[in-house]
Amino acid sequence: MQYIDQGSALSNKNVPGRRLQKKNSLFYQVRPLQVAQQSVLENEEFTQRYQKNADELQVFKDDPYLEPHKQHFQVRNAKFFELLEQIVKVESSLKDFAKGYLDLQNIRYEKYGFLISDTGITYKEWAPGAKEVYLTGDFNNWDKMQYSLTSDSFGNWEIFLPRNEDGSYLIPHGSRVKAYIKDANGQYQFRIPAWIRTTWQNQENKLYDGVFYNPENKYEFKHNRPPKPRCLKIYEVHIGMAGIDPRVHTFKEFTQTVLPRVVKLGYNVIQIMAIQEHAYYGSFGYHVTNFFAVSSRFGSPDDLKELIDTAHSHGISVLMDLVHSHASSNVLDGINQWDGTDYHYFHAGGKGKHDLWDSKLFDYSKWEVIRFLLSNLSWWINEYQFDGFRFDGVTSMLYVHHGNGYGFTGGYHEYFNELADIDSLVYLMLANDLIHEIHPNAITVAEDVSGYPTLCRNIKEGGIGFDYRMAMAVPDKWIKLLKEFKDDDWDMGDIAHTLTNRRYLEKCICYAESHDQALVGDKTLSMWLFDKEIYSEMSTLQPETLVTFRGMALHKMLRLITFALGGEGYLNFMGNEFGHPEWIDFPREGNGWSYHHARRRWDLADDQSLRYSRLLQFDAEMINLEDQYPWLPNGDQWVTEKHNETKVIVFERGSLLFVFNFHPTQSYEHFRVGTKFETDHRIVLDTDDVRFGGHSRVSPSYGQNFPIIKEEWQGRPNYIQIYLPNRCAIVFKSIE
C-alpha cells in the first residue's frame, strides 16, 4: 500500500511568515520566519536527545516486525523534526514556544490572554476571522465598545490598559470580563477570552463569564515535588463526587477528608478528573470549554494549589486527567466558533466534528493551535505543580477515523497506514517532549484502546514518548466474564493472556475497574458480584450467603490478580477499593437532576459492622504488600500454570509466588506449586483471611514454612505443597 503523506510540516498553512489564503481571505499564521543557514537540530544537545535517522531507531532493533512499516516512522518523524526545527528557529526553544507565561521578579509576562505587568494590563487574542474585537466587563459597566483592540496582519488582536492614577489596575481582581467581537459573519457576539484562567457561572442565565483573576496574596507552594515514584499506584478521583452528601464537593473538602484516606491506603499518585472548566457537569469533565481555567464549581485556583501542595507533603504525586483530543462544541462559553468560523481552532466542516461525542476536533497542523495546547501543558505544570497527565481519548487522535467503527486485532498493518493521523501523532510527540523537558520526572499516561505500537517508547527510540498506557482490555474482560459467563466457564488461559498481553518494553497501567465501568448503563464490579444482596446482606452481623461469599472472594481476587499480573502500574477509582455499590450517574434531566449517584459513600467503608470495611482493609494490605516486596517495575514474571479444569492460575512476579484458585466449589489438598525459588516459602497475603471478610481456611499455616522440594514441576526447578481452598488467592515469599 502506498503511504499517503498528509502534508509537510513546512507547508504554507503551517509556517510562520507564509500566508495561506483560506476561506474569506483569512490568514491563519503568525510571525515572519528568520531562516537559519544551518539546522538548529544539529548541535550536540539535540543529537544526544534525538535520533533523526529512522534506520537507526531502537524500536526496529527491538522488534523486527516493525521493519516493513518503516515508511510510517520516516514520514512521522520527518514531520516532527521539521516542525520542531521551525519552532526552535522562530521561538528559540519548544519551552519558549509553549510559555503562556513566565515569572520574572514577580512580574508576569505572557503572549496571549491577560498580561499583567508593572505598568498595566495587556490583553491579546488570536482571532484571524474577527473583524472587530473589544474588551468589556464589570470594570467598565459592560460598555461593549469602549475599549477596542487593534490587529496585525496575522490575526493577533491586542490592547494595553495602563494603571489608574492611584496605581490600581483598571480591571479589579475577581471582576467579570468578556470579549465583544464582530465575527467573520459580521455578527456581534460576546466571547469568553480563550486563554482565561478563571470562569464563574452566571446564576441569571447559567452561562459562564470570564473572570480576571489577580489576587493580591497568591498561594505560595510550601513543599517540593516528591521524587518520581518507583512505580505508580494511582488513586483516581473526581472532586465533585468525592463526598457523602448528594451535592458538588470542593477542593478544600477533598484535601481535608479524602486525601488522608488515600495516604492511609498507601497509594502514591492521585489522578484528578474534571479539572479543566466544563460547562456541563454531567460530561464528567470531558467536554472542556475553558482549557486554562480551573473548574470553579470545586473552588478557587488557590484551593487546587493547596490540594496539590498537601499531596506533595505526603509524598504523593498528582496527575491531571487532560483533554486535548477534543473540545466542547459550546459557542457562548467555549472556544468553538470564537472568531465566527468553524475552523478557528478546529478542522472545518465534518472533519472538525466528533459525531459520537458531539464535540469539536482540533486541527493539530495549525501553528497557533499547537501553541495553545502546548502552552496549556506548560501552564498546568508550572502554575499548579502537576506532576504529569493522563491524556484522554488518545485513540481518537491517532487515526483519521478516530476509532469509530474500527476494531483492532493487534496486526501492525492496522496502525501504520494512510488512516494514521500524522498531524496528531506529531502533536503528541511534541507534547511529551515538552512535558519531560519542563519536568524531567513528569509522568504521561495514554488512554488508547487500539494498542498503537511504540506509543510508550521514548522519541529517541522511535516512539511517541508516553511513559505508560492504560491496559483497557483488562476491566472489559472482568465485566464480560461477570455479565456473560458462569464461573465454571471462565477460561484461565484467556484470563492470563489478557493480563499479560502487553507491548514489549511499553509499560501499562492495569486496573480492575475505573470510572468508565461504573457509568450509568453499567455498574461497579461489586454491584455485579453482590447484585440485590448489596442492599440487605452486607452486615457482618448476618450469616453469610452464597452470594456474599462469592462476591467477597472474587472482589479481592480480581483486584489482586490484576494488580499482580496486569501491568507495571495500578489504578483504582475512588471508593471501588471497598466495593462501592451501584453506579455513577451525574445530575441530568433524565434522572431529575439528582446527585444520588454522583457521590461516594465513605460511611459504608467506615462502618466496621459492614463487609465493605473488610474489603477496604484488604486493599490497604494489598497495596502495602507491593511496597514490602516490589514487583510492579519488575519485568520478571512467569506464568507457571493456567489450568481450566482446576481453575488455578500460578505465576511468579518479582520475589513473590502467586497462587489463585477460581474454582467455585473445589479445594485442593497437597496441591503442588512449582517455583523457581530455592528455599522454603511463607504466606505473606491470603485473600481468605478473616480480617478481609474471609474464613481463614489456611490460617493455621500462617507463620509456618512450606518446605521446598527440589524436583521439577510445571517447568520450574522446585515445588511446594499447599492446601488451596476454592475462591482463594495466596501469596508466598521465599524465606531467602
Side-chain angles (χ1 to χ4, degrees):
M1 179 180 294
Q2 178 64 39
Y3 197 90
I4 299 175
D5 184 1
Q6 297 172 332
S8 168
L10 301 181
S11 63
N12 281 348
K13 71 174 183 176
N14 205 43
V15 176
R18 296 183 184 177
R19 300 182 182 181
L20 175 65
Q21 190 166 6
K22 296 186 72 170
K23 302 172 185 177
N24 302 324
S25 300
L26 300 178
F27 299 114
Y28 276 75
Q29 306 312 323
V30 285
R31 292 170 174 71
L33 174 63
Q34 302 298 321
V35 180
Q37 296 299 314
Q38 180 180 353
S39 170
V40 296
L41 302 186
E42 299 299 334
N43 61 49
E44 184 178 354
E45 176 190 352
F46 283 97
T47 54
Q48 289 181 354
R49 185 170 170 183
Y50 305 108
Q51 174 55 262
K52 294 186 71 175
N53 184 353
D55 293 328
E56 296 299 320
L57 294 175
Q58 184 64 37
V59 293
F60 296 122
K61 301 173 185 177
D62 294 332
D63 186 355
Y65 290 101
L66 289 172
E67 193 75 29
H69 307 283
K70 185 176 288 186
Q71 188 181 16
H72 171 90
F73 292 83
Q74 291 169 334
V75 171
R76 188 193 76 190
N77 284 20
K79 202 162 189 179
F80 167 76
F81 287 119
E82 285 179 288
L83 183 53
L84 180 61
E85 183 160 354
Q86 291 304 315
I87 288 172
V88 173
K89 283 179 180 178
V90 176
E91 306 276 351
S92 299
S93 72
L94 187 60
K95 285 173 68 175
D96 288 334
F97 178 62
K99 279 180 181 174
Y101 70 96
L102 61 86
D103 283 332
L104 184 63
Q105 296 178 345
N106 296 320
I107 301 173
R108 180 163 292 173
Y109 295 92
E110 299 177 343
K111 292 186 176 77
Y112 292 94
F114 288 95
L115 296 66
I116 305 169
S117 68
D118 279 344
T119 56
I121 301 168
T122 301
Y123 169 55
K124 187 174 182 180
E125 198 77 60
W126 175 64
K131 298 178 179 179
E132 299 171 15
V133 179
Y134 305 90
L135 180 63
T136 186
D138 291 333
F139 71 97
N140 72 337
N141 294 316
W142 295 96
D143 186 330
K144 298 174 184 175
M145 296 184 176
Q146 180 180 1
Y147 292 103
S148 175
L149 280 67
T150 58
S151 66
D152 61 21
S153 58
F154 305 110
N156 294 304
W157 295 82
E158 187 172 336
I159 187 173
F160 176 71
L161 304 174
R163 283 188 182 235
N164 295 317
E165 290 184 2
D166 62 3
S168 62
Y169 288 106
L170 184 62
I171 308 177
H173 163 65
S175 60
R176 296 176 299 163
V177 291
K178 280 192 175 182
Y180 186 66
I181 72 167
K182 185 178 183 181
D183 67 19
N185 304 307
Q187 301 296 313
Y188 284 97
Q189 309 281 357
F190 281 109
R191 293 286 184 263
I192 295 178
W195 294 63
I196 198 71
R197 316 298 193 200
T198 307
T199 61
W200 292 340
Q201 189 175 32
N202 188 316
Q203 294 305 312
E204 294 180 4
N205 56 26
K206 300 304 180 183
L207 295 174
Y208 279 75
D209 294 323
V211 175
F212 183 74
Y213 194 81
N214 185 36
E216 184 176 346
N217 297 311
K218 299 171 185 173
Y219 187 87
E220 297 289 338
F221 284 91
K222 304 174 182 63
H223 305 281
N224 294 327
R225 299 179 190 269
K228 188 172 186 175
R230 169 185 57 80
C231 65
L232 303 190
K233 285 172 278 196
I234 303 172
Y235 199 78
E236 184 186 32
V237 304
H238 183 284
I239 301 300
M241 59 176 291
I244 296 174
D245 299 332
R247 59 176 174 82
V248 177
H249 297 83
T250 67
F251 293 125
K252 281 192 172 294
E253 289 174 316
F254 183 92
T255 303
Q256 294 164 3
T257 63
V258 182
L259 188 57
R261 292 178 177 273
V262 182
V263 174
K264 186 176 180 180
L265 284 169
Y267 289 85
N268 59 7
V269 180
I270 58 172
Q271 179 177 295
I272 309 180
M273 305 174 63
I275 289 295
Q276 295 163 292
E277 188 63 274
H278 47 290
Y280 179 42
Y281 186 49
S283 73
F284 228 139
Y286 291 124
H287 279 212
V288 175
T289 45
N290 312 106
F291 283 78
F292 290 82
V294 173
S295 181
S296 56
R297 54 174 61 86
F298 307 139
S300 73
D302 282 358
D303 293 343
L304 174 59
K305 291 178 181 179
E306 181 185 28
L307 187 162
I308 295 171
D309 198 19
T310 306
H312 285 169
S313 75
H314 292 287
I316 294 177
S317 300
V318 185
L319 304 184
M320 175 178 168
D321 198 346
L322 180 89
V323 184
H324 278 187
S325 52
H326 63 129
S328 169
S329 58
N330 288 19
V331 173
L332 296 180
D333 47 16
I335 62 172
N336 185 24
Q337 299 182 35
W338 203 98
D339 67 356
T341 68
D342 70 341
Y343 49 86
H344 182 186
Y345 286 97
F346 311 109
H347 287 290
K351 188 178 180 181
K353 183 175 176 59
H354 197 297
D355 292 328
L356 294 182
W357 296 345
D358 187 27
S359 57
K360 299 293 293 183
L361 297 170
F362 288 104
D363 184 346
Y364 302 101
S365 71
K366 290 180 180 176
W367 185 269
E368 291 300 339
V369 172
I370 296 172
R371 185 203 301 277
F372 179 81
L373 294 173
L374 292 181
S375 296
N376 193 234
L377 298 172
S378 178
W379 167 253
W380 292 112
I381 293 174
N382 288 314
E383 182 72 10
Y384 288 91
Q385 298 290 294
F386 276 101
D387 300 295
F389 303 95
R390 179 254 197 195
F391 279 68
D392 180 70
V394 169
T395 305
S396 176
M397 302 174 70
L398 297 177
Y399 314 100
V400 295
H401 54 66
H402 309 297
N404 295 343
Y406 280 78
F408 294 87
T409 63
Y412 285 1
H413 66 284
E414 298 171 336
Y415 309 101
F416 306 128
N417 54 47
E418 72 278 7
L419 298 178
D421 191 325
I422 299 299
D423 290 329
S424 295
L425 285 164
V426 169
Y427 167 69
L428 290 172
M429 293 171 73
L430 288 170
N432 277 289
D433 200 31
L434 171 71
I435 291 166
H436 292 102
E437 183 179 355
I438 296 173
H439 179 26
N441 288 333
I443 301 158
T444 58
V445 181
E447 188 218 25
D448 169 39
V449 71
S450 74
Y452 179 91
T454 73
L455 187 66
C456 299
R457 298 294 297 272
N458 68 48
I459 294 169
K460 184 174 184 178
E461 293 176 338
I464 303 301
F466 284 100
D467 297 303
Y468 295 85
R469 71 192 320 147
M470 303 295 291
M472 301 181 70
V474 175
D476 291 344
K477 174 61 66 176
W478 296 134
I479 292 293
K480 184 178 180 68
L481 287 174
L482 292 174
K483 288 173 68 171
E484 301 177 13
F485 292 84
K486 296 178 181 179
D487 295 0
D488 291 325
D489 296 331
W490 286 19
D491 187 324
M492 299 298 104
D494 182 51
I495 290 173
H497 173 74
T498 301
L499 289 166
T500 58
N501 184 25
R502 304 194 286 277
R503 297 284 182 201
Y504 179 56
L505 296 178
E506 298 192 49
K507 294 184 288 188
C508 287
I509 302 295
C510 59
Y511 54 107
E513 57 181 332
S514 70
H515 66 273
D516 283 330
Q517 283 67 46
L519 289 173
V520 63
D522 215 317
K523 47 193 178 185
T524 62
L525 283 181
S526 64
M527 200 69 196
W528 281 110
L529 289 165
F530 295 107
D531 198 34
K532 63 182 180 181
E533 292 196 11
I534 206 166
Y535 299 112
S536 60
E537 306 297 329
M538 294 301 284
S539 172
T540 59
L541 305 177
Q542 297 173 263
E544 186 179 61
T545 68
L546 291 176
V547 171
T548 55
F549 167 70
R550 172 180 180 267
M552 292 292 289
L554 289 181
H555 193 275
K556 292 172 287 186
M557 293 177 70
L558 298 189
R559 304 179 90 75
L560 177 60
I561 197 170
T562 301
F563 186 28
L565 192 60
E568 291 71 36
Y570 179 70
L571 177 142
N572 168 70
F573 181 69
M574 62 177 187
N576 288 350
E577 69 277 5
F578 66 78
H580 201 286
E582 302 187 322
W583 51 87
I584 298 171
D585 189 11
F586 281 87
R588 55 189 174 85
E589 187 175 3
N591 67 11
W593 303 104
S594 170
Y595 288 87
H596 180 75
H597 290 106
R599 56 181 178 145
R600 294 287 91 176
R601 292 290 306 276
W602 307 113
D603 55 311
L604 298 177
D606 294 340
D607 189 336
Q608 295 301 306
S609 70
L610 297 179
R611 303 186 200 278
Y612 301 105
S613 65
R614 309 301 193 262
L615 296 177
L616 181 70
Q617 179 66 27
F618 172 77
D619 195 79
E621 298 212 16
M622 179 182 77
I623 295 295
N624 180 64
L625 183 70
E626 202 283 332
D627 286 332
Q628 290 182 285
Y629 308 101
W631 69 73
L632 281 181
N634 196 323
D636 183 17
Q637 65 180 39
W638 185 271
V639 179
T640 304
E641 187 169 352
K642 41 189 177 180
H643 201 286
N644 262 340
E645 269 192 41
T646 60
K647 300 299 179 193
V648 171
I649 296 177
V650 178
F651 59 90
E652 299 158 357
R653 183 80 187 267
S655 62
L656 298 179
L657 176 65
F658 295 81
V659 186
F660 288 79
N661 179 9
F662 283 97
H663 203 289
T665 58
Q666 188 65 54
S667 300
Y668 304 105
E669 296 272 5
H670 309 297
F671 189 82
R672 289 188 179 187
V673 180
T675 175
K676 70 176 181 180
F677 303 112
E678 300 287 337
T679 58
D680 294 353
H681 289 44
R682 283 190 179 181
I683 294 174
V684 291
L685 187 69
D686 167 27
T687 61
D688 195 46
D689 193 318
V690 69
R691 295 176 302 134
F692 310 143
H695 295 269
S696 286
R697 288 170 287 176
V698 297
S699 62
S701 301
Y702 293 172
Q704 297 182 9
N705 290 353
F706 289 80
I708 197 75
I709 301 172
K710 300 202 173 200
E711 295 178 11
E712 184 179 345
W713 183 258
Q714 297 286 8
R716 309 314 278 160
N718 315 296
Y719 71 85
I720 59 174
Q721 286 187 310
I722 66 171
Y723 171 56
L724 183 58
N726 68 308
R727 286 187 177 139
C728 176
I730 309 173
V731 186
F732 297 88
K733 76 173 182 70
S734 171
I735 63 172
E736 69 187 5

